[in-house]
């Protein structure tokens, strides 16, 4: 079993060399030159860290080099990781599943963001932590969604409430809540249909979904998480803003960070909305959904070398 930090390192293994090459160029000679700094700055922008974060990283590295012309590559990478850690202060989502019976987690997002597999992976994680989760297959619009989540629930031996293709998604959520309550299962994780954030009629369906759940519990859903495809980069920020208006969000899950060169997108999303990040997707396997760690993310994305795991 890989440690959490190793998971982050492995997940970013296709990403960090891009950064490392940029750092190598910057510190290849005796002194900094404008060409090398431009390369580094361009690399950071391409990773979608956003203007503010890039400027902060660049300023910190330049200041350190002016103070010490013998600054090493590893030190520069650590400076970048430290800046990211400061920017992301408060970004780690802390989850309490003991307040409600059942605790309802609703996952929303656009098509292709990975909601259905993330629903199953969350169930797997909570199961490993000693809970008895139940899944609600509320993506009734996509023909393959029911089969996909049924496959996952059988593979992972997790309870599932589903209906036929085209059924009322809010009714499925209602039934799933009733099943969780009667069987003393917790948490209830609801997969919803993917929808374009620009389609007003589809966003209104989320509002109905919300109203129906509140008939069971005035505070439900207790957690409303936007599942964001990390490879989309800064485009995901606008998604988050629009979803937040129709379906007030309480947190984020960033998927598909493994291998993407745009792993900085989550920084921009956090800066824009200040929503906590609960989990990140770093691969296809059930345990590749990892709790978000500022330290692990910052050090892994900059390829900081360490003999020990920063955060197991």
């Amino acid at each position: 079993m890989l440690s959490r930090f190793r998971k982050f390192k492995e997940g970013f293994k296709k990403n960090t060399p891009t950064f490392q090459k940029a750092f190598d160029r910057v510190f290849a000679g005796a002194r900094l030159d404008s060409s090398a700094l431009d390369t580094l700055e361009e690399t950071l922008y391409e990773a979608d860290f956003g203007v503010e974060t890039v400027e902060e990283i660049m300023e910190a590295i330049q200041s350190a080099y002016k103070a010490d012309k013998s600054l090493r590559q590893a030190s520069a990478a650590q400076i970048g990781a430290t800046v990211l850690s400061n920017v992301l202060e408060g970004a780690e989502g802390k989850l309490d599943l003991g307040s409600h019976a059942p605790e309802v987690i609703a996952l929303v997002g656009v098509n292709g963001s990975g909601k259905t597999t993330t629903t199953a992976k969350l169930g797997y994680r909570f199961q490993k932590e000693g809970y008895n989760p139940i899944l609600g297959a509320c993506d009734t619009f996509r023909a393959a969604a029911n089969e996909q989540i049924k496959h996952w629930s059988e593979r992972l031996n997790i309870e599932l409430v589903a209906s036929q293709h085209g059924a009322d998604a809010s009714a499925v959520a209602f039934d799933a809540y009733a099943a969780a309550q009667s069987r003393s299962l917790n948490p209830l994780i609801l997969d919803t249909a993917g929808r374009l954030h620009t389609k007003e009629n589809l966003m209104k369906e989320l509002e109905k979904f919300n109203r129906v759940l509140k008939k069971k519990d005035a505070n439900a859903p207790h957690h409303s998480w936007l599942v964001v495809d990390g490879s989309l980069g800064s485009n995901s920020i606008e998604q988050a803003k629009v979803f937040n208006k129709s379906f007030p969000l309480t947190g984020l899950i960033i998927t598909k960070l493994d291998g993407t060169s745009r792993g900085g997108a989550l920084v921009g999303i956090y800066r824009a909305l200040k929503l906590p990040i609960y989990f990140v997707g770093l691969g296809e396997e059930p345990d590749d959904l990892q709790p978000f760690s500022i330290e692990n993310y910052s050090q892994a994305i900059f390829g900081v070398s360490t003999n020990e795991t920063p955060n197991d």
Side-chain angles (χ1 to χ4, degrees):
M1 176 70 71
L2 291 176
S3 69
R4 289 184 185 175
F5 181 63
R6 284 286 303 282
K7 281 285 186 185
F8 273 74
K9 291 282 282 186
E10 289 296 310
F12 283 105
K13 66 184 177 182
K14 296 179 183 176
N15 188 14
T16 51
T18 305
F19 290 95
Q20 294 298 272
K21 287 176 184 176
F23 279 110
D24 288 345
R25 269 198 69 182
V26 171
F27 295 98
R31 49 168 92 169
L32 284 170
D33 61 72
S34 59
S35 176
L37 284 173
D38 286 346
T39 298
L40 175 59
E41 187 172 22
E42 182 181 348
T43 302
L44 294 170
Y45 276 121
E46 287 175 349
D48 276 328
F49 283 111
V51 175
E52 288 180 278
T53 305
V54 172
E55 288 180 349
E56 290 170 15
I57 292 172
M58 294 302 298
E59 183 179 336
I61 291 175
Q62 289 178 52
S63 295
Y65 189 80
K66 287 177 182 177
D68 180 5
K69 291 295 193 294
S70 63
L71 188 69
R72 294 181 177 274
Q73 295 171 33
S75 299
Q78 186 61 65
I79 289 169
T82 299
V83 171
L84 277 190
S85 294
N86 292 337
V87 168
L88 290 168
E89 184 177 359
E92 292 179 5
K94 304 298 182 185
L95 186 60
D96 177 14
L97 293 179
S99 303
H100 306 90
E103 199 90 9
V104 182
I105 302 171
L107 302 185
V108 300
V110 301
N111 289 308
S113 59
K115 291 184 308 305
T116 300
T117 54
T118 297
T119 299
K121 289 175 182 179
L122 278 176
Y124 174 81
R125 170 161 289 278
F126 294 139
Q127 190 181 60
K128 292 297 183 184
E129 292 175 357
Y131 295 96
N132 294 304
I134 181 172
L135 312 181
C138 302
D139 182 354
T140 58
F141 295 97
R142 186 165 60 93
N146 268 1
E147 290 307 312
Q148 186 180 9
I149 200 165
K150 283 178 181 176
H151 167 77
W152 276 103
S153 69
E154 290 169 2
R155 173 184 171 186
L156 301 175
N157 194 29
I158 300 174
E159 293 276 352
L160 172 70
V161 171
S163 187
Q164 71 272 15
H165 171 57
D168 187 317
S170 298
V172 177
F174 190 90
D175 291 344
Y177 188 101
Q181 220 172 20
S182 65
R183 303 175 201 170
S184 298
L185 300 174
N186 187 51
L188 166 61
I189 310 165
L190 300 175
D191 180 26
T192 67
R195 62 200 72 226
L196 292 174
H197 57 293
T198 54
K199 299 295 185 181
E200 187 175 350
N201 61 319
L202 294 178
M203 297 306 290
K204 285 188 178 298
E205 289 178 358
L206 278 181
E207 295 174 9
K208 176 187 175 184
F209 186 87
N210 217 357
R211 290 195 304 271
V212 168
L213 281 173
K214 290 187 184 304
K215 292 179 181 179
K216 282 294 194 180
D217 181 339
N219 296 310
H222 310 105
H223 310 278
S224 303
W225 294 344
L226 179 68
V227 181
V228 177
D229 180 346
S231 66
L232 294 180
S234 58
N235 291 335
S236 54
I237 296 176
E238 186 59 29
Q239 285 180 21
K241 289 180 178 178
V242 176
F243 271 98
N244 199 34
K245 289 180 182 177
S246 296
F247 197 77
L249 302 171
T250 62
L252 300 167
I253 296 178
I254 315 294
T255 62
K256 306 181 184 181
L257 285 177
D258 51 310
T260 179
S261 62
R262 308 176 79 180
L266 66 81
V267 181
I269 297 171
Y270 178 70
R271 292 193 86 143
L273 291 180
K274 294 298 182 187
L275 286 170
I277 302 166
Y278 284 89
F279 295 93
V280 291
L282 299 170
E284 298 297 324
E285 293 304 312
D287 64 348
D288 285 333
L289 186 72
Q290 290 289 307
F292 178 62
S293 160
I294 295 172
E295 184 178 9
N296 288 349
Y297 168 77
S298 300
Q299 295 205 5
I301 204 166
F302 275 96
V304 173
S305 298
T306 177
N307 293 324
E308 302 295 332
T309 57
N311 185 356
D312 273 347

